[in-house]
Amino acid sequence: MPLLDVRNLSVEFKTADGLFKAVDGIDVQVDVGDVLAIVGESGSGKSVSMLALMGLLPWTAVVTADYMTFDGIDLATCTARQRRAIVGKDVSMIFQEPMSSLNPCFTIGFQIREALKAHLPLSRSQRQLRAVELLEQVGLPEPERRLRAYPHQLSGGMCQRVMIAMAIACKPKLLIADEPTTALDVTIQAQILELLLDLQKDTGMALVLITHDMGVVAETAQRVSVQYAGQKVEEQDVEALFANAHHPYTDALLAALPERASSKLLPSIPGVVPGQFDRPAGCLFSPRCAHADDVCRSTSPKSASQELGLARCHYPLQQGVPLRGDV
Amino acid sequence: MLNFILRRVGTFIPTFIGVSIISFLFIRLLPGDPILLMAGERGMSDERYAQLMTQFGFDQPLLTQYWSYLTGILQGDLGLSFRTKRPVWDEFFTLFPATLELSLCAIVFAVVLGIPAGIVAAVKRGKWPDQALMTTALVGYSMPIFWWALLLIIFFSGMLGWTPVSGRISLMFFFPTDTGFMLIDSYRSGQAGAFASAVEHLILPTIVLGTIPLAVIARQTRSAMLEVLSEDYVRTAKAKGLSPFRVNGLHALRNALIPVITVIGLSVGTLMAGAILTETIFSWPGIGKWMVEGISSRDYTAVQGGLLMIAVIVMVVNLLVDLLYGFINPKIRK
């Protein structure tokens, strides 16, 4: 049984113009010790699906799912109290903006010890010791002094390390990192990713890495799930995905990597992710797809077989060539 | 920090002089002659009138009068009250504890109810608790104090007989008032029922005086909380699995407190103004009532001294509020 098993998760937001579907029937499976990358452009519902899991969406969100089990507990049906016992302990999450994700009014130490206090039966001095240990673990020098510091006294990279320390405080089974490096300098990005992967290896926790950077995916993930406009369009092991992408969107994302560019001009995907008012009738990617035909523009495709990376496409690619007719 | 305090105290000086001029002129602009009022219905001879004019210095030009007033203040001398012939300073501080006691009760009442009401309204925004609380707050804010006081007296004192109508304590009790705070003095007197009587007398004036600050604090807390609740660090707090009470009441509220504290500080001015009406209605022997009596008897020294003291209190309270900012939000401290 997977550690995290989410089936048919949908999230809709109540807006002034009716419901907006941000996540549309997503499945997510994460095994113990797995590293899953969820990739997609802005607006593809990557963060929202994970926030839904954590119960962190604003009140305007309506979350539905066949089930969302974590470690045998269904997060879709459990009470808020039951969820709080899991969230922050067995599943934890770090976010895109480390500077604003820490409370400016409290010291780093307070915020880390608080995470420990919420879930573990430790004494005050044990919590302090553990907090020092955690800061050492995430590579912050002078941990005792840092614990007395306020977030505004630290840099962005240090804040993200603190966030990571806080997230792993209770030794979670799953850590969700929501674009953890997007707001950081390039040099710091690599350090943070390395830290996350080291921690993952050391502790054996599962890691879900939300990113829009295929380069990050290549360096970190074991498995990749590609999302587009709230739908999962493809899922494969990382080597297989880079070798043979089956969905045209994945293919286009990979082609946009500078390392893979063959011409002087970097290829890009024309257009933007459809929003609330311009959702196409058939395949959601059809307006931007190089291989789309009338079938694509009128009928919504189903997911292809496991061998074809569950690609949500009428004509999945095989080594870059659409398979027509025989699917 | 010390530098900041000194700079703030420096800004007191022009404010202080401004208030002293305004209070000095204001009472003299009122029609009515304090000396004739002092004489009462019998009137007085022209010689005696001229003599008194000279004695009080009213025959001098305004500028000279103001100068002697200002130099007096700087030596800690607010002059003698025309009415009682006692130093204004002594009168003020004899009566001030009564006003302070009432104001503190009112502000505690407003904060203790207003902040939770604002939090609940913000967390339940758009739903019925929000609408109910904010409508109530608006009604409270719009209520004229004297009318609200009369309604409460009619209902709780008149119809139900639960609370006394006026005064600070039942006439049955007599004990030394060392501190001037009736709650403390009655408690220390050890007389059975004295403390309870003091509390009973405080209830209605506290509600009346606290209503407007309560409404303002509730609305301010709500809007500050709404802003803070969508912040990333509130999401982080939730992601730790903390209880909603801790997320809203600690992580969000601490960040929302700055504007709320500001409003609390500013409402001290409102309280002083409100105290004048409230004390008059409830015959509360504080500076509000004293000032009203001073105005009607054209007691120049009492009114200008009282106004000045109130202004200084409001300034000091707002300085304290500014200092509090740094304690609440360390980011401001640097």
Side-chain angles (χ1 to χ4, degrees):
Chain A
M1 192 182 68
L3 178 66
L4 175 70
D5 195 355
V6 177
R7 283 299 153 90
N8 196 20
L9 169 70
S10 294
V11 181
E12 290 176 303
F13 286 97
K14 289 179 201 154
T15 69
D17 309 292
L19 288 175
F20 168 60
K21 207 163 207 177
V23 176
D24 186 1
I26 294 237
D27 298 342
V28 186
Q29 275 94 39
V30 182
D31 289 315
V32 177
D34 220 354
V35 182
L36 170 72
I38 302 180
V39 197
E41 281 169 272
S42 307
S44 54
K46 312 175 298 263
S47 307
V48 173
S49 52
M50 288 301 118
L51 289 172
L53 184 75
M54 298 281 287
L56 296 178
L57 287 173
W59 61 281
T60 47
V62 184
V63 180
T64 51
D66 292 351
Y67 54 85
M68 284 201 289
T69 53
F70 175 80
D71 213 12
I73 298 158
D74 191 354
L75 295 171
T77 52
C78 72
T79 62
R81 185 180 289 270
Q82 285 171 316
R83 188 201 293 267
R84 285 203 301 274
I86 301 168
V87 160
K89 181 170 186 288
D90 295 329
V91 200
S92 54
M93 189 159 179
I94 59 172
F95 305 97
Q96 193 169 345
E97 298 279 349
M99 302 282 250
S100 59
S101 293
L102 288 167
N103 195 324
C105 287
F106 299 101
T107 61
I108 303 302
F110 177 89
Q111 298 187 54
I112 295 178
R113 289 192 300 269
E114 182 184 40
L116 293 165
K117 196 178 171 187
H119 299 288
L120 300 176
L122 298 177
S123 70
R124 181 183 287 264
S125 54
Q126 284 172 318
R127 286 198 293 270
Q128 174 68 17
L129 282 177
R130 175 85 178 122
V132 171
E133 188 184 299
L134 281 164
L135 286 196
E136 278 167 355
Q137 209 175 346
V138 298
L140 275 182
E142 296 182 84
E144 280 92 354
R145 199 165 71 88
R146 295 282 179 242
L147 285 176
R148 286 192 301 272
Y150 286 93
H152 69 267
Q153 295 164 325
L154 303 184
S155 69
M158 286 161 123
C159 281
Q160 194 61 293
R161 284 175 195 271
V162 171
M163 285 296 291
I164 294 171
M166 222 151 77
I168 62 167
C170 304
K171 300 192 173 130
K173 294 173 183 155
L174 171 64
L175 174 64
I176 303 169
D178 182 1
E179 308 213 18
T181 58
T182 309
L184 305 175
D185 290 344
V186 182
T187 47
I188 310 293
Q189 287 186 6
Q191 292 177 15
I192 295 287
L193 284 175
E194 207 169 307
L195 171 65
L196 282 174
L197 288 175
D198 285 349
L199 289 170
Q200 191 273 329
K201 275 194 209 86
D202 294 348
T203 60
M205 67 182 174
L207 179 65
V208 170
L209 188 68
I210 300 172
T211 178
H212 56 246
D213 187 342
M214 272 291 185
V216 169
V217 174
E219 286 164 32
T220 53
Q222 295 161 5
R223 242 161 13 93
V224 189
S225 161
V226 183
Q227 285 194 17
Y228 183 78
Q231 296 179 334
K232 182 164 87 176
V233 294
E234 177 162 6
E235 181 166 344
Q236 286 206 71
D237 285 344
V238 69
E239 293 87 7
L241 184 101
F242 276 79
N244 188 3
H246 295 303
H247 195 279
Y249 178 60
T250 319
D251 194 48
L253 279 181
L254 291 174
L257 280 175
E259 298 89 321
R260 296 189 154 218
S262 47
S263 63
K264 265 188 146 176
L265 204 64
L266 201 59
S268 61
I269 311 174
V272 290
V273 181
Q276 187 179 1
F277 304 109
D278 53 358
R279 275 174 97 83
C283 169
L284 293 177
F285 187 58
S286 60
R288 305 172 72 188
C289 181
H291 310 290
D293 64 9
D294 287 344
V295 179
C296 299
R297 282 183 275 271
S298 56
T299 339
S300 197
K302 293 204 165 35
S303 291
S305 63
Q306 191 81 46
E307 294 75 56
L308 288 169
L310 305 167
R312 205 182 182 102
C313 182
H314 290 295
Y315 312 114
L317 303 177
Q318 190 61 269
Q319 299 302 337
V321 183
L323 296 170
R324 292 190 194 263
D326 53 344
V327 181
Chain B
M1 188 53 118
L2 187 71
N3 201 351
F4 171 75
I5 298 176
L6 286 178
R7 250 183 304 135
R8 276 302 305 268
V9 173
T11 64
F12 278 15
I13 297 166
T15 319
F16 185 82
I17 292 177
V19 172
S20 72
I21 295 174
I22 292 168
S23 60
F24 177 84
L25 287 180
F26 149 77
I27 185 74
R28 281 168 175 75
L29 283 174
L30 285 183
D33 186 325
I35 295 176
L36 285 181
L37 278 168
M38 237 185 283
E41 290 185 3
R42 276 171 49 219
M44 61 174 70
S45 66
D46 289 349
E47 296 91 67
R48 179 72 185 137
Y49 181 80
Q51 194 190 350
L52 281 172
M53 284 291 274
T54 321
Q55 188 189 326
F56 287 113
F58 292 156
D59 55 343
Q60 305 286 318
L62 267 186
L63 209 59
T64 320
Q65 289 185 44
Y66 174 69
W67 182 249
S68 72
Y69 171 54
L70 192 63
T71 47
I73 297 171
L74 294 180
Q75 294 161 35
D77 176 15
L78 290 173
L80 293 180
S81 162
F82 293 174
R83 195 156 36 105
T84 60
K85 311 287 183 288
R86 290 179 56 217
V88 170
W89 182 270
D90 293 354
E91 293 246 291
F92 186 88
F93 281 103
T94 313
L95 297 169
F96 185 63
T99 301
L100 186 61
E101 183 175 43
L102 176 56
S103 302
L104 282 178
C105 287
I107 205 80
V108 167
F109 165 77
V111 168
V112 165
L113 291 183
I115 290 184
I119 296 175
V120 169
V123 172
K124 303 273 176 201
R125 68 184 159 297
K127 303 194 179 123
W128 71 264
D130 179 23
Q131 281 155 358
L133 284 166
M134 286 307 111
T135 310
T136 314
L138 191 63
V139 170
Y141 186 71
S142 320
M143 195 94 76
I145 282 191
F146 57 92
W147 184 65
W148 177 224
L150 292 178
L151 282 186
L152 288 176
I153 291 174
I154 291 169
F155 189 70
F156 288 106
S157 308
M159 289 165 70
L160 296 175
W162 288 357
T163 54
V165 181
S166 67
R168 293 181 78 188
I169 194 155
S170 164
L171 293 173
M172 285 154 55
F173 299 102
F174 186 78
F175 43 80
T177 51
D178 302 332
T179 62
F181 293 95
M182 198 53 86
L183 287 177
I184 299 175
D185 290 335
S186 64
Y187 184 76
R188 290 209 314 196
S189 76
Q191 295 179 29
F195 183 71
S197 172
V199 171
E200 273 177 9
H201 281 78
L202 257 170
I203 294 172
L204 285 191
T206 296
I207 294 173
V208 168
L209 191 55
T211 298
I212 288 180
L214 166 62
V216 175
I217 290 169
R219 291 189 73 92
Q220 184 64 60
T221 306
R222 177 182 181 270
S223 69
M225 281 292 288
L226 279 183
E227 212 162 288
V228 168
L229 282 176
S230 58
E231 293 284 346
D232 287 348
Y233 49 77
V234 173
R235 186 181 59 190
T236 307
K238 285 184 197 156
K240 284 186 197 170
L242 303 177
S243 66
F245 185 78
R246 200 170 163 93
V247 171
N248 297 321
L250 187 74
H251 282 267
L253 181 63
R254 178 90 177 250
N255 284 279
L257 267 186
I258 297 273
V260 176
I261 298 269
T262 311
V263 163
I264 294 174
L266 290 175
S267 68
V268 171
T270 321
L271 279 182
M272 292 294 162
I276 293 179
L277 276 170
T278 312
E279 288 178 4
T280 309
I281 294 169
F282 289 99
S283 305
W284 193 266
I287 50 162
K289 191 158 165 287
W290 172 70
M291 294 272 286
V292 171
E293 285 161 5
I295 292 171
S296 48
S297 60
R298 301 295 181 275
D299 189 345
Y300 288 4
T301 43
V303 174
Q304 66 198 15
L307 283 176
L308 197 65
M309 293 306 292
I310 290 174
V312 170
I313 289 163
V314 172
M315 287 192 285
V316 170
V317 168
N318 282 288
L319 171 67
L320 292 179
V321 167
D322 282 357
L323 295 179
L324 261 183
Y325 288 170
F327 287 100
I328 293 168
N329 193 337
K331 225 169 161 175
I332 299 174
R333 213 179 291 162
K334 55 172 177 181

